[in-house]
Amino acid sequence: MDDNTNSWQVASMKCAALQLNLIVGDFEGNAAKILDGVRRAAQGGAELCITSELALWGYPARDLLLNPGWVDTSLQVLETLAEDLKDLPPTLVGFAAKRDAHASGKPLSNAAALLRHGQIEHVFQKTLLPTYDVFDELRYFEPGPGIEAFELNGAKIAVTICEDIWNDGELSRWGTYQQEPLRSLDTKDLDLLVNLSASPYTLSKHRIRKRIVSELASHLRVPILYTNQVGGNDDLLFDGRSFLTDANGACVLQAPLFDEDILIVETESRSQTEIKDACENTELFEALKVGVRDYVHKSGFSKVVIGLSGGIDSALTAAVAAKALGPNNVLGILMPSPYSSEGSVDDAIELARFLKIKTITLPIGDVMGSFDTTLSETFKDYDQDTTEENIQSRIRGTLLMALSNKFRSLLLTTGNKSELAVGYCTIYGDMNGALAVIADLPKTRVFTLSSWLNETQGPTIPENTITKPPSAELRPDQKDSDSLPDYDTLDNILFQLVDQHASLSEVESSGHDKAVVKRIARLLKISEFKRRQAAPGLKVTDRAFGTGWRMPLSSREPER
């Protein structure tokens, strides 16, 4: 953990938000991080420490929670942690609690344990269990009875877990909750409300979190300490930014973006300065860096390989990887074909020079010839079409997987969200990989983020890579525009169809050609089988093609 400790000196009770990067299922390791964090918080004078949601497990644990042996092991580790903390400040630790064996419903609760004097003194249960987007908590947990409080040094402190404070119309887009758990709490003489959270990152979501917490604090007239997980677990990213809001709803102090931190706050602090947020491009780049770093390292690897085409998608992916893992841990693979332009090869070489990464060049012309020879008799009565183009992509995919295996390096795939949406990618070819770094970035965002990198961090991506017309270079003079609308048009249509769930008529009424809209909607539907087999992609928008996207492979849709 970085030695990064913030404190706020005002004469009132001190609390510490333990903003930690946790590994799913690593009970011993997560407990050690919590113990170290509490020790450091104690040195800063903290009287109470709060972890993030399900901190002992790491979030999301998914179906690991269905294994009774794992649950038993976690509870043993929790008891040991309680003993280790006996001479340290009381600590609220997120964990999965066993319910009474004779109780109806699920066997577990999403809970927080109050560890004090070496004991598990009390267990607080989460009431609102989300079942939208990436969340499926009713699969594992039974809702708790309501919000409870405890006393510490004469202060009354209410304990909530993530969604318990999110019963809001704007956020509950999949249907509002029937319960309002805070109504079950006696707010009289309440001195502090704490929230243990594992709130996945999406662009600008932190502003909504702050609004929710601010309005609640102002309504209850009580400060709120919000503790969020940080780091990447699979496709989900957690931005941290734990914070304290005063009783007037003003944000007093905030932990960093995408960094571990022990945030020590005074519960009666008042806001002194405005807390400024990072710009969108900074957020996105940091999110992708953390996602790559944690996915690679938590999977037990240190190095990656990337196919470099000279195009903007592979260039941005390589730039993220080099910043996340260090240039020495990134290997770029150039695989020119007879259709690859000299300029694209030069662009890939210049990118590698900018990023200081090593490259290997493996021309595929001879391999293409072998395929042509093998298939010549079988294909003699057929014209060349996308079949031959896809063979090129699959040759490259095979070579990349071979290098990944031989060098024990994860393969990062380079496709963007626009391509993945309409199937402008080759399954078992350029879709090969262990992680799809920019799979949730529309093509237009890829361009703006790449330009921003050059503007803010110096030469990173060759200018020609950004300005030249995009092309897969699988046939002579090929351009993406031969197959797709311009990306501004395509991304706007896709945003309406995917993110806003708009009907075809609604998209048409926004100014788009009816035939184009219908074609894009059809491509979106028939490409589902590709997305089902794609590498996991880092989620940075509200609607990603990942664990929260649950579409049938075979279906018929009404005319809309």
Side-chain angles (χ1 to χ4, degrees), residues 273-538:
T273 58
E274 181 182 358
I275 296 172
K276 297 196 178 291
D277 293 314
C279 75
E280 286 191 355
N281 287 320
T282 299
E283 269 194 34
L284 281 174
F285 195 69
E286 289 302 311
L288 297 176
K289 278 171 52 182
V290 167
V292 169
R293 181 199 68 199
D294 283 358
Y295 187 90
V296 171
H297 291 166
K298 291 179 182 182
S299 298
F301 290 82
S302 60
K303 298 179 180 295
V304 297
V305 294
I306 304 172
L308 299 183
S309 67
I312 195 167
D313 296 323
S314 61
L316 180 57
T317 301
V320 171
K323 293 289 186 180
L325 304 171
N328 292 337
N329 293 313
V330 180
L331 178 63
I333 313 300
L334 284 69
M335 296 167 288
S337 80
Y339 304 125
S340 299
S341 67
E342 184 177 342
S344 290
V345 174
D346 291 342
D347 290 343
I349 292 172
E350 185 175 22
L351 172 75
R353 181 172 61 82
F354 284 163
L355 300 180
K356 298 181 173 58
I357 64 175
K358 293 181 179 179
T359 63
I360 293 175
T361 300
L362 302 174
I364 67 170
D366 290 345
V367 186
M368 290 168 59
S370 297
F371 272 84
D372 290 340
T373 299
T374 301
L375 293 168
S376 60
E377 182 63 25
T378 305
F379 285 179
K380 66 181 181 181
D381 296 327
Y382 296 84
D383 294 331
Q384 287 199 356
D385 55 18
T386 55
T387 303
E388 285 75 17
E389 295 179 20
N390 289 339
I391 286 173
Q392 292 175 59
S393 182
R394 288 174 179 136
I395 289 169
R396 291 184 171 118
T398 298
L399 292 174
L400 287 169
M401 287 307 303
L403 296 172
S404 173
N405 294 161
K406 186 64 69 176
F407 299 154
R408 204 178 184 279
S409 301
L410 288 182
L411 172 59
L412 302 183
T413 187
T414 62
N416 61 66
K417 188 173 188 176
S418 308
E419 295 171 347
L420 197 59
V422 296
Y424 194 63
C425 45
T426 305
I427 194 166
Y428 321 125
D430 60 330
M431 291 179 68
N432 280 2
L435 180 68
V437 178
I438 61 169
D440 201 24
L441 291 188
K443 187 77 168 189
T444 48
R445 177 68 79 169
V446 172
F447 279 108
T448 58
L449 189 57
S450 298
S451 296
W452 170 85
L453 270 178
N454 286 349
E455 292 166 4
T456 59
Q457 301 187 23
T460 305
I461 294 175
E463 191 62 27
N464 189 55
T465 297
I466 298 175
T467 58
K468 68 185 177 185
S471 171
E473 294 193 334
L474 297 174
R475 63 175 183 265
D477 302 318
Q478 183 181 23
K479 301 289 186 294
D480 288 5
S481 56
D482 298 339
S483 304
L484 300 171
D486 67 86
Y487 279 112
D488 284 333
T489 298
L490 176 62
D491 285 351
N492 184 264
I493 292 173
L494 288 172
F495 177 75
Q496 293 185 64
L497 292 174
V498 174
D499 295 68
Q500 297 184 325
H501 307 277
S503 68
L504 300 190
S505 59
E506 287 172 332
V507 180
E508 292 160 19
S509 67
S510 70
H512 292 292
D513 180 79
K514 180 177 182 178
V516 173
V517 173
K518 188 173 182 179
R519 177 169 171 263
I520 297 307
R522 178 179 179 276
L523 289 174
L524 177 66
K525 178 183 182 298
I526 67 174
S527 300
E528 187 60 36
F529 81 101
K530 290 186 179 182
R531 291 189 291 270
R532 185 71 64 90
Q533 300 177 70
L538 299 177

Side-chain angles (χ1 to χ4, degrees), residues 40-244:
R40 292 175 54 205
Q43 292 172 358
E47 302 165 72
L48 174 67
C49 297
I50 301 99
T51 75
S52 55
E53 179 182 14
L54 289 169
L56 194 62
W57 281 79
Y59 192 96
R62 298 194 168 110
D63 278 8
L64 293 180
L65 290 159
L66 300 178
N67 190 325
W70 285 63
V71 175
D72 291 340
T73 298
S74 72
L75 296 177
Q76 293 167 11
V77 173
L78 183 66
E79 290 177 356
T80 300
L81 179 60
E83 176 65 22
D84 291 338
L85 291 171
K86 66 180 178 181
D87 296 321
L88 291 166
T91 303
L92 286 162
V93 176
F95 78 115
K98 271 188 174 181
R99 300 178 66 241
D100 188 295
H102 301 292
S104 61
K106 301 294 190 302
L108 300 176
S109 294
N110 185 338
L114 175 60
L115 308 185
R116 181 156 48 175
H117 306 310
Q119 304 291 322
I120 301 174
E121 183 177 294
H122 192 75
V123 173
F124 303 88
Q125 300 174 52
K126 184 176 181 177
T127 299
L128 298 184
L129 302 177
T131 57
Y132 57 87
D133 193 34
V134 299
F135 306 106
D136 199 10
E137 292 195 23
L138 283 173
R139 178 180 176 90
Y140 313 107
F141 303 117
E142 192 69 16
I147 308 302
E148 296 181 282
F150 71 100
E151 291 193 359
L152 174 65
N153 300 336
K156 182 181 177 183
I157 302 166
V159 180
T160 61
I161 301 176
C162 203
E163 197 84 358
D164 287 343
I165 61 172
W166 282 60
N167 190 4
D168 176 88
E170 177 180 334
L171 297 165
S172 303
R173 62 186 63 183
W174 308 106
T176 56
Y177 294 100
Q178 298 302 310
Q179 299 165 279
E180 294 183 43
L182 286 168
R183 288 184 178 274
S184 66
L185 176 69
D186 179 8
T187 58
K188 183 180 179 181
D189 300 324
L190 187 64
D191 297 289
L192 175 68
L193 185 145
V194 300
N195 184 265
L196 294 77
S197 189
S199 179
Y201 169 81
T202 58
L203 186 61
S204 301
K205 183 179 179 180
H206 66 285
R207 295 189 180 93
I208 303 175
R209 289 191 206 122
K210 281 186 180 177
R211 180 181 62 77
I212 294 296
V213 174
S214 173
E215 289 179 1
L216 180 60
S218 178
H219 174 71
L220 297 177
R221 305 299 299 167
V222 66
I224 297 177
L225 179 56
Y226 179 96
T227 304
N228 195 25
Q229 182 172 288
V230 72
N233 281 329
D234 296 346
D235 57 329
L236 299 187
L237 309 174
F238 300 87
D239 52 315
R241 287 194 276 208
S242 305
F243 62 95
L244 174 72

